[in-house]
Amino acid sequence: MPPRRPLSLAARAAIATGFALAAFLGIVGLTLSQAQYRAARSSLQDRLQNFVIAYLAGTEVTRYGKVLPPDSPPDPNFMRPGSGLYAMALGERGYHWESSSAIGRDFHFLKPLEPGESQFVGPVDTRMGRLYYYAYGVAFDSSDNRSVKLTFMVAQTEDQFEGENAVYRRTLVMWLAILGVMLIVLQMLLLRWSLTPLRKVANDMSRVERGDSEHLDSQYPLELIGLTDRINAFIDNEREQRTRYRHTLADLAHSLKTPLAVIRSQLETAGEEAQRRSAVLDQVRRMDELVAYQLSRAATSGRQTFASAVPIAGHAEDLVQSLEKVYAAKNVLCEFDIDEGAVFYGEQGDLLELLGNLLENAFKWANHHVLLVVKSQSQPGRLRPNLWLSVEDDGPGIDEDKIDKVLQRGVRGDERVQGHGIGLSIVQDIVRAYRGELGVDRSPEFGGARFCVKLTHA
């Protein structure tokens, strides 16, 4: 069974946004619903309290302590039986009064209150259903200085209260749903616009693969510039590597023509066996050097965007120890001036080839002294510091009129300047592969040759 294909960025963003939006709108809806419920409950309390005050204002007590309720209620629903809006009053010595709407209803749960005491309760379960009610205790003074205590109550069924809330909730859900759909559509449009640069990268990559373009376009948002620049660098490196392989094979074939022709001529020409053997061995040795040189060129990795950092100090010490053994008879002293933490961004083999050939060349021509200098130079706006290294010796040096020829591009392995042959050629190839600079001049300290290499990292 093939592995399941991961969701696209657009699908991931849409799903995440959908869940976040649903949760946000749900919380908003719940918050607004609760706030409206508390506001409606407070409004109901004020409404029932106003009804109680209206009844109190219309109630009179005679000089004999008889309670006379108001002739007309503050709301017509108090006169309609079963309207859901009820009023009643409790007094001393069994006094009981109720509005026309409350006739036949059971209000056994109502308890007398002390004057000035009030309570708002609800919803409570009764035989008439769930009710909200407001009760208030009051004391009327009669003309004979008697105090008549009454408790007025106004109640309303929960159905009326919940009916108003249900309308609000339905309206709220409808508008939140409309708002949610609008936000999702807007989010999809914004998402499509935001992902346009990524689609442009994919389209440009397809154009590069088809050969319609050499590189990715440079017009990208700031967040993608680093990615596209590294992709372009990777494309350039891959093409340079392929070109280097092709040129290496061509150079190798061309370089082997002359030795092979000499061998054939020696084998076809009659002569002394020892002389012929020596000539053939010389050509075979030369072919071996040419093959080693061309293989080194082909193996050069070149500048890499994601190359690891290779410490220089340890490898330099190992190379010098080996060369001191090879050139022990010359008693050469090699000094170091290497910055702490200096690293080479590339393949370790390229670093060893670069340092090894420069140091071996210096040991070959030096009288007694060799100096290796490695400096790490940070550059503003760059993640990797530049690398500057030089190898100096106290040998005869190189004449100025021969420096250009030493650094000449395209010189084949069998056409190198004597004494600075294949090793220096490999150095030039490595420096070019890493887009660096190689310079040759006089050592200001020792007077011999100085080879300077500058590598600029991305």
Side-chain angles (χ1 to χ4, degrees):
M1 182 177 179
R4 184 178 179 182
R5 184 177 181 181
L7 294 174
S8 65
L9 293 178
R12 291 170 183 264
I15 293 175
T17 303
F19 279 116
L21 185 61
F24 173 74
L25 292 180
I27 294 175
V28 170
L30 181 62
T31 302
L32 292 177
S33 179
Q34 291 295 324
Q36 193 276 338
Y37 174 80
R38 289 191 293 269
R41 197 172 187 274
S42 177
S43 177
L44 176 62
Q45 178 180 354
D46 293 341
R47 180 167 175 258
L48 298 181
Q49 182 180 2
N50 291 334
F51 285 150
V52 169
I53 293 175
Y55 271 110
L56 288 176
T59 301
E60 296 180 0
V61 177
T62 64
R63 60 184 300 180
Y64 302 106
K66 183 179 180 180
V67 179
L68 300 177
D71 297 332
S72 60
D75 190 288
N77 287 321
F78 287 107
M79 301 179 63
R80 183 166 55 87
S83 64
L85 190 61
Y86 314 111
M88 67 171 300
L90 296 178
E92 297 174 328
R93 294 187 295 275
Y95 177 80
H96 178 89
W97 171 87
E98 57 188 21
S99 64
S100 300
S101 60
I103 296 176
R105 306 291 176 174
D106 182 10
F107 294 95
H108 68 279
F109 54 87
L110 182 62
K111 303 299 181 182
L113 301 178
E114 292 297 322
E117 184 181 358
S118 66
Q119 60 178 195
F120 175 72
V121 183
V124 294
D125 293 320
T126 67
R127 296 178 181 178
M128 299 171 289
R130 294 168 65 83
L131 293 176
Y132 290 88
Y133 71 88
Y134 179 84
Y136 183 74
V138 66
F140 285 94
D141 293 331
S142 61
S143 58
D144 56 356
N145 294 326
R146 293 178 55 190
S147 177
V148 179
K149 296 181 180 180
L150 294 175
T151 299
F152 280 88
M153 184 205 74
V154 175
Q156 179 178 310
T157 59
E158 186 186 35
D159 294 341
Q160 292 182 335
F161 177 71
E162 288 299 325
E164 297 175 357
N165 289 337
V167 172
Y168 175 81
R169 284 194 295 268
R170 286 194 299 270
T171 304
L172 179 63
V173 169
M174 180 185 68
W175 281 109
L176 286 179
I178 294 174
L179 179 61
V181 172
M182 293 175 61
L183 289 177
I184 290 176
V185 172
L186 179 60
Q187 177 65 27
M188 295 303 295
L189 293 176
L190 292 176
L191 185 62
R192 181 175 180 81
W193 176 74
S194 300
L195 294 180
T196 299
L198 291 179
R199 287 193 296 271
K200 187 175 185 297
V201 172
N203 293 334
D204 289 347
M205 285 292 295
S206 299
R207 294 177 66 246
V208 172
E209 292 175 355
R210 294 193 305 266
D212 298 335
S213 178
E214 293 291 326
H215 297 91
L216 299 182
D217 192 4
S218 60
Q219 299 299 321
Y220 295 106
L222 181 62
E223 292 80 4
L224 294 180
I225 289 179
L227 172 65
T228 54
D229 286 347
R230 284 163 175 76
I231 292 176
N232 284 332
F234 182 80
I235 293 172
D236 290 338
N237 185 69
E238 189 272 339
R239 287 173 178 165
E240 290 175 2
Q241 192 81 1
R242 187 169 60 247
T243 302
R244 187 160 54 249
Y245 289 155
R246 186 168 57 252
H247 290 172
T248 298
L249 292 175
D251 292 346
L252 180 60
H254 179 80
S255 300
L256 293 178
K257 286 182 180 180
T258 300
L260 288 174
V262 173
I263 292 175
R264 176 180 293 178
S265 175
Q266 291 294 326
L267 293 176
E268 292 176 350
T269 302
E272 295 183 4
E273 186 67 25
Q275 183 179 1
R276 180 184 302 171
R277 178 183 177 85
S278 176
V280 171
L281 288 176
D282 287 342
Q283 297 303 319
V284 170
R285 187 162 43 250
R286 185 178 182 187
M287 290 170 62
D288 183 63
E289 291 178 351
L290 289 171
V291 171
Y293 163 63
Q294 298 295 352
L295 288 177
S296 297
R297 287 184 62 195
T300 302
S301 298
R303 183 176 181 177
Q304 300 179 22
T305 303
F306 305 104
S308 58
V310 181
I312 296 177
H315 294 296
E317 292 176 359
D318 294 339
L319 288 171
V320 169
Q321 289 177 2
S322 300
L323 290 172
E324 285 177 344
K325 295 178 181 179
V326 174
Y327 295 92
K330 300 182 68 172
N331 193 25
V332 177
L333 173 63
C334 183
E335 300 178 3
F336 291 144
D337 183 9
I338 302 176
D339 284 350
E340 183 179 358
V343 295
F344 170 79
Y345 291 97
E347 293 293 332
Q348 179 176 317
D350 294 341
L351 174 63
L352 295 178
E353 285 285 350
L354 179 65
L355 285 178
N357 284 292
L358 289 176
L359 288 171
E360 183 179 9
N361 184 76
F363 268 78
K364 182 189 302 183
W365 294 97
N367 293 324
H368 298 290
H369 289 90
V370 172
L371 174 63
L372 172 62
V373 180
V374 179
K375 299 296 182 180
S376 183
Q377 302 172 338
S378 300
Q379 294 292 326
R382 293 185 181 271
L383 299 178
R384 298 174 176 177
N386 294 338
L387 185 67
W388 185 88
L389 62 89
S390 69
V391 177
E392 307 176 32
D393 61 69
D394 60 349
I398 304 175
D399 295 336
E400 292 185 4
D401 58 345
K402 294 181 179 180
I403 291 179
D404 292 339
K405 189 172 184 180
V406 169
L407 300 180
Q408 183 179 352
R409 292 177 179 268
V411 178
R412 307 217 185 271
D414 58 342
E415 300 174 348
R416 302 293 179 175
V417 177
Q418 183 68 27
H420 300 281
I422 290 177
L424 185 55
S425 301
I426 294 175
V427 169
Q428 294 182 71
D429 290 332
I430 293 175
V431 172
R432 281 198 296 266
Y434 281 87
R435 302 177 193 174
E437 298 177 3
L438 174 63
V440 183
D441 58 6
R442 285 279 178 181
S443 170
E445 183 172 353
F446 300 125
R450 180 174 68 171
F451 289 82
C452 301
V453 176
K454 182 179 180 181
L455 300 178
T456 302
H457 298 296

